Amino acid sequence: MDILFYMHGEDPEPWRAELARRLPDARCRVWQAGDDAPADYVLAWRPPAELLRGRRGLKAVFNLGAGVDALLALLRDDPAMLAPDVPVFKLDDAGMSEQMVHYAAYAVLRHFRSFDEYARQQQRAAWTQLPTREAAHFPVGVMGLGALGSDVARALVALGFPVRGWARSAKHVEGVRCFAGEREFDGFLAGLEVVVNLLPLTAETEGILDRRLFARLARGARIVNIARGGHLVEADLLAALDAGQLSGASLDAFRDEPLPPDHPFWHHPRIDITPHIAARTTIAASIGQIAERIRSLEHGEAVGGKIDLGRGY
């Protein structure tokens, strides 16, 4: 079989080498501009339109990450880019779940234990013990209950927090009070101390972290965005922080990446910034998962992780 590989912004060779190790009988090549030769499978992260447009003989496309918004944007701009019978698959975990759990737990605990305030006190040489809060009375919400969001929600339950989860459709996660759809959104938000966003970015979720959402949280709540920058209305966040409705935000994804040096988030005293590292795909786990799925497809077996192009995830 012929496999075409493309990795935006990274050296493709370690990925191609791992793919060759896992599928030694496959012919694996890294895409170069002008390459329009047939391929059975495409493995890509943020591919240019030229890579996919008119590609002959494709059996499937694998997105090298959990977030599929960049790939879906290409397909929305040119629906005929792929034949309708070519499935598109995303990675389910590939080492990302544990990383997301660590990031979310750190951000929640930092707010719960008032570590930001203690850091500010240190700068003033102020020795003041702040009131102790009880985890049982500190509700945390997780938006998005896919594989990553469900793992984050369960981890926060294990830390003793009452956890609510919200998704577009009904979900069940043990120990989590689950809400679904627009009708249950306000009930999910009411009085939350922290919101952790892990939603996919779709037309329905664009700008969902806005002033309406912030107003329904407990006063002094915190936002943790480890999904996509397009979820956040930046001006609304700054206004909510200035008004005291939010006490802080942990942000890992941004509308413009890298975040421009003159962006107001960089020097805001109540915003923590990380450069989109909450969970990075690992080569061995990612390629291992894809290799197994290719073998299954070659044998006519069912494969998980298929993206519903109409729903956007």
Side-chain angles (χ1 to χ4, degrees):
M1 73 182 77
D2 290 292
I3 299 177
L4 187 60
F5 184 89
Y6 179 85
M7 171 61 74
H8 176 78
E10 288 192 33
D11 179 5
E13 184 53 32
W15 294 79
R16 191 209 61 77
E18 181 67 13
L19 186 62
R21 188 181 74 82
R22 298 274 187 164
L23 294 172
D25 295 331
R27 293 177 294 274
C28 309
R29 70 183 192 272
V30 176
W31 183 81
Q32 304 289 336
D35 179 351
D36 61 355
D40 295 296
Y41 299 98
V42 165
L43 280 59
W45 175 247
R46 296 184 176 274
E50 181 187 354
L51 187 156
L52 292 174
R53 188 175 290 122
R55 182 68 54 185
R56 292 164 289 159
L58 275 184
K59 298 179 181 178
V61 174
F62 289 89
N63 185 68
L64 292 171
V68 296
D69 44 293
L71 178 57
L72 293 182
L74 282 182
L75 299 180
R76 283 195 299 270
D77 291 342
D78 185 358
M81 182 177 295
L82 287 179
D85 61 341
V86 176
V88 179
F89 296 94
K90 65 178 179 180
L91 296 175
D92 287 337
D93 185 337
M96 291 181 285
S97 180
E98 184 177 70
Q99 297 174 65
M100 283 293 192
V101 165
H102 292 163
Y103 192 107
Y106 168 77
V108 171
L109 289 170
R110 181 171 176 167
H111 180 49
F112 172 64
R113 292 299 307 272
S114 303
F115 290 140
D116 280 331
E117 185 57 38
Y118 284 121
R120 286 187 283 270
Q121 287 187 177
Q122 180 178 345
Q123 294 173 353
R124 305 191 305 271
W127 182 280
T128 303
Q129 295 180 345
L130 301 174
T132 299
R133 294 185 280 203
E134 295 183 27
H137 302 299
F138 194 87
V140 178
V142 177
M143 295 169 57
L145 293 175
L148 300 179
S150 294
D151 283 350
V152 166
R154 282 189 285 263
L156 294 172
V157 169
L159 289 172
F161 297 108
V163 178
R164 304 176 200 164
W166 182 82
R168 180 175 175 177
S169 56
K171 305 285 186 181
H172 174 75
V173 181
E174 187 175 357
V176 177
R177 185 181 175 194
C178 294
F179 297 74
E182 184 64 29
R183 292 182 62 182
E184 298 183 359
F185 194 44
D186 286 351
F188 160 76
L189 294 172
L192 288 175
E193 297 285 354
V194 182
V195 168
V196 180
N197 178 43
L198 277 158
L199 288 166
L201 182 61
T202 67
E204 291 75 20
T205 64
E206 171 84 23
I208 196 169
L209 298 174
D210 64 0
R211 66 184 65 194
R212 173 181 174 272
L213 182 150
F214 303 150
R216 283 160 173 75
L217 308 179
R219 184 163 180 82
R222 188 176 191 89
I223 297 296
V224 181
N225 188 22
I226 47 180
R228 287 291 183 266
H231 288 122
L232 177 64
V233 180
E234 295 181 349
D236 287 2
L237 173 64
L238 292 171
L241 289 168
D242 290 346
Q245 175 57 26
L246 296 180
S247 66
S250 298
L251 306 179
D252 185 61
F254 305 89
R255 289 181 179 271
D256 297 317
E257 295 185 359
L259 190 65
D262 60 349
H263 197 286
F265 284 176
W266 276 117
H267 302 293
H268 197 290
R270 296 186 180 273
I271 296 178
D272 299 324
I273 289 173
T274 49
H276 211 139
I277 50 77
R280 305 191 69 191
T281 52
T282 58
I283 295 175
S286 300
I287 295 301
Q289 183 181 130
I290 291 171
E292 285 301 313
R293 288 178 171 176
I294 287 176
R295 291 191 191 96
S296 295
L297 289 171
E298 289 292 299
H299 288 91
E301 299 168 357
V303 172
K306 183 178 178 182
I307 298 168
D308 184 328
L309 299 182
R311 300 178 72 179
Y313 57 91

